Amino acid sequence: MRTFPAIGGIRTVADFKQHLADLHLSIPCDLDLETGAASPLTQSIPFNGKRIGNRFCIHPMEGWDGTPEGKASEATTRRWRNFGLSGAKLIWGGEAVAVRHDGRANPNQLLINEQNKASFAELRDAVITAHRETGEHTDDLLIGLQLTHSGRFSRPNEKTRPEPRILYHHPLLDRRVKVDASYPLLTDSEIREIIDHFIAAGRIASDLGFEFVDIKHCHGYLGHEFLSAHTRAGEFGGSFENRTRFLREVAAGIRAIAPGLQLGVRLSAFDLVSFHPDPELSTPAKMGPGIPDQYGDWLPYRWGFGVKASQPEAYDLSEPRQFLSLLRELDIKLVNFTAGSPYYNHHIQRPALYPPSDGYQPPEDPLVGVARQMEVTRELKRDFPDLIVVGTGYTYLQEFVPFVAQAVVREGWVDSVGLGRMVLSYPELPRDIISGRVLQHKRICRTFSDCTTAPRNGLPSGCYPLDGYYKQSPKATQLKQIKAARRAS
Ligand SMILES: Cc1cc2nc3c(=O)[nH]c(=O)nc-3n(C[C@H](O)[C@H](O)[C@H](O)COP(=O)(O)O)c2cc1C
Ligand code: SF4
């Protein structure tokens, strides 16, 4: 089985640049860091009559730790507080929030409705208060809420029971969520009810003072599935116009009911076919490297968005470009690019050296995955310079995040550098970078994937290896036992 060098073992930026060159990856990386006003990372971004105060963004990250009613728990509030402490000036959604119960990805996902309004107000307040405590202004802090319906990956009632709400039958993904050809599709009228819930959620978010909502279109969830509904009949499938009707109707509805609220979209800008562990190289103790699911019988491949139909192991940006032109027409300026899905091709979405327990070993050096996301983002930003673009996949760069972040912003590859997992292990990293402080190496995320493994096994997410809050909890012992049992089975 192939192994890849750990980033933690690379000592200097010069060595890292050499490593990138050896891999033939064109990830820009500065040798020296600027500080203060000279740093590209401290430049603000004009948006909607205000300024977003710097070039760091916190990506949305679910914690699987809300109450059964969908309110925040102490752990949820702590995470949002950490987002405020991070120093980043763009808080992209906090975490995926379901617009109604049947669209929850797990029974502990946050749920936005009138009854839970106060809880969302507290979360927003937690970000603002924490941010102020660090001595920062908040007039240049932009906080959004990510709205979602989990569609194919809904598990609203039991952590172990998928209750998919699907738009079409997928030749490879149906069996992963345990459905067959007889399983009913969402009807057009059920889709309209879901649209109404998105619009109602937008109004609540606006009442609470969130500056924008993200109409989530990524990671295989419902918004993303619309974009690949080529084989669906009726008003929401087939043509590009029909496949984007959901977005257009949600956007129009929210604009009518909450005119002051800005809109954003987190988009899986490309996708690939689904992957599974290579059975030939799997042992009871260790999954094999990821290989693509057999797609030979399904060519041209009509079940993806941003995927090459003739060769679904490669991406194709023609429809994503069309989608960005639509965002332009709809006057949606905030875009956060991600890729694929954590459920069926996690290596392109969250590059990691250590996969989640139900995943597969990396089929490529995770840096290749980082470079792929960065390159797609660069191309799309170049073609749509008027959009405010957030990039994804930077956590795997570890010690070298500051050097790459500075270079990509300076060179205009992105407007804002988004961070996900790193903020679970080391929330203050963006603030430390901007202040020119030496990074705390022991807190740097090493992509152990426990924050994904835990929820896949019914536990709340969190950084079990590095964050004291989780490290010392009984849940950490439980997670260790689950992982050991899996290895032994
Ligand atoms: C525990 C966990 C929860 C996540 N939850 C969400 C989510 O709710 N919404 C979303 O758009 N992405 C979610 N993501 C994906 C991240 O936002 C991000 O795209 C991904 O981790 C890659 O960025 P990184 O390399 O900085 O971690 C989640 C990731 C993790 C690790
Ligand atoms: S558990 Fe911690 S170290 Fe592991 S990937 Fe998640 S944030 Fe990173």
Side-chain angles (χ1 to χ4, degrees):
M1 196 162 337
R2 282 178 74 194
T3 54
F4 304 102
I7 301 284
I10 302 175
R11 292 284 154 240
T12 68
V13 195
D15 291 346
F16 180 63
K17 280 175 78 83
Q18 186 55 51
H19 182 56
L20 293 175
D22 294 344
L23 290 171
H24 307 288
L25 297 176
S26 59
I27 294 179
C29 178
D30 284 350
L31 275 172
D32 298 303
L33 292 178
E34 308 276 1
T35 50
S39 166
L41 297 170
T42 60
Q43 308 305 309
S44 60
I45 308 171
F47 175 67
N48 190 35
K50 72 183 263 182
R51 306 190 80 74
I52 304 169
N54 63 33
R55 300 308 185 102
F56 280 112
C57 169
I58 305 304
H59 286 315
M61 270 176 302
E62 253 174 278
W64 288 259
D65 52 17
T67 67
E69 307 77 49
K71 296 183 169 71
S73 64
E74 175 207 292
T76 323
T77 310
R78 173 182 182 269
R79 192 169 54 254
W80 284 59
R81 245 187 82 71
N82 281 345
F83 296 161
L85 293 177
S86 73
K89 292 290 186 176
L90 178 51
I91 311 298
W92 190 287
E95 62 190 278
V97 168
V99 298
R100 58 183 219 171
H101 178 74
D102 74 336
R104 292 168 90 181
N106 69 83
N108 296 94
Q109 184 170 36
L110 298 185
L111 180 61
I112 184 160
N113 55 31
E114 285 297 332
Q115 297 87 298
N116 292 349
K117 217 168 164 177
S119 186
F120 284 93
E122 280 167 27
L123 287 177
R124 182 173 169 276
D125 197 50
V127 176
I128 294 173
T129 307
H131 197 70
R132 267 201 203 111
E133 282 169 17
T134 66
E136 284 286 335
H137 297 287
T138 54
D139 53 355
D140 58 356
L141 175 68
L142 199 77
I143 309 175
L145 196 63
Q146 183 177 59
L147 302 182
T148 194
H149 184 293
S150 302
R152 183 174 290 273
F153 297 105
S154 300
R155 289 184 182 209
N157 296 308
E158 279 178 38
K159 288 172 181 165
T160 51
R161 194 174 80 220
E163 296 180 52
R165 309 288 279 151
I166 58 174
L167 297 174
Y168 58 85
H169 282 287
H170 193 298
L172 304 174
L173 296 183
D174 273 11
R175 61 173 176 262
R176 294 199 182 206
V177 289
K178 302 185 172 63
V179 302
D180 63 21
S182 65
Y183 195 79
L185 305 182
L186 277 168
T187 63
D188 284 4
S189 72
E190 285 171 326
I191 291 173
R192 294 210 178 277
E193 283 169 25
I194 293 175
I195 290 175
D196 288 344
H197 279 86
F198 268 85
I199 297 168
R203 187 188 48 72
I204 295 171
S206 172
D207 289 351
L208 294 174
F210 285 96
E211 265 131 332
F212 72 99
V213 288
D214 163 19
I215 308 168
K216 184 173 185 178
H217 277 72
C218 59
H219 303 164
Y221 297 113
L222 192 71
H224 189 205
E225 184 153 302
F226 275 108
L227 300 179
S228 57
H230 297 272
T231 56
R232 183 185 169 91
E235 285 185 275
F236 292 93
S239 65
F240 179 79
E241 195 197 350
N242 283 354
R243 285 181 283 121
T244 53
R245 190 178 304 284
F246 164 77
L247 168 71
R248 285 182 285 110
E249 295 202 359
V250 170
I254 294 180
R255 287 243 159 89
I257 206 170
L261 184 70
Q262 293 299 309
L263 301 178
V265 169
R266 189 154 206 231
L267 175 70
S268 282
F270 65 93
D271 207 349
L272 304 184
V273 71
S274 42
F275 275 60
H276 66 276
D278 184 346
E280 304 275 314
L281 296 174
S282 296
T283 65
K286 198 169 179 180
M287 300 287 200
I291 53 169
D293 287 358
Q294 291 243 340
Y295 56 79
D297 291 341
W298 305 105
L299 292 176
Y301 191 75
R302 300 170 67 218
W303 298 272
F305 176 76
V307 189
K308 197 167 179 181
S310 58
Q311 191 203 349
E313 289 174 58
Y315 61 79
D316 175 352
L317 296 182
S318 38
E319 279 219 327
R321 283 198 172 86
Q322 216 179 326
F323 186 81
L324 296 183
S325 300
L326 174 64
L327 293 189
R328 229 182 217 163
E329 275 170 41
L330 296 174
D331 197 27
I332 297 178
K333 292 214 163 56
L334 291 170
V335 191
N336 184 329
F337 292 128
T338 165
S341 165
Y343 296 102
Y344 55 82
N345 49 26
H346 56 77
H347 70 289
I348 68 164
Q349 207 252 337
R350 297 176 196 173
L353 203 54
Y354 310 93
S357 64
D358 62 346
Y360 46 80
Q361 297 300 320
E364 60 188 10
D365 190 310
L367 275 174
V368 174
V370 176
R372 188 187 292 114
Q373 288 203 53
M374 287 177 65
E375 177 56 31
V376 165
T377 302
R378 182 187 73 85
E379 277 187 44
L380 296 175
K381 173 67 191 170
R382 183 196 58 207
D383 296 348
F384 295 85
D386 48 318
L387 297 179
I388 296 179
V389 167
V390 180
T392 298
Y394 291 89
T395 288
Y396 186 72
L397 298 166
Q398 302 168 40
E399 272 78 1
F400 305 104
V401 167
F403 301 91
V404 174
Q406 178 176 291
V408 285
V409 171
R410 191 171 38 68
E411 293 185 17
W413 287 36
V414 287
D415 297 296
S416 184
V417 172
L419 292 173
R421 292 163 293 181
M422 187 66 88
V423 178
L424 298 180
S425 69
Y426 183 1
E428 306 86 351
L429 176 119
R431 190 148 51 91
D432 283 352
I433 294 174
I434 282 174
S435 322
R437 280 192 277 271
V438 175
L439 296 188
Q440 301 173 46
H441 295 278
K442 289 197 169 142
R443 299 180 68 197
I444 287 183
C445 167
R446 301 295 176 194
T447 68
F448 295 128
S449 290
D450 278 9
C451 49
T452 306
T453 295
R456 297 281 161 88
N457 289 284
L459 296 172
S461 177
C463 183
Y464 287 79
L466 301 180
D467 177 353
Y469 185 84
Y470 292 94
K471 214 170 165 177
Q472 283 142 26
S473 79
K475 300 233 164 22
T477 316
Q478 234 177 307
L479 183 61
K480 272 191 200 131
Q481 286 163 350
I482 291 169
K483 284 166 70 176
R486 213 172 242 271
R487 277 195 297 274
S489 72

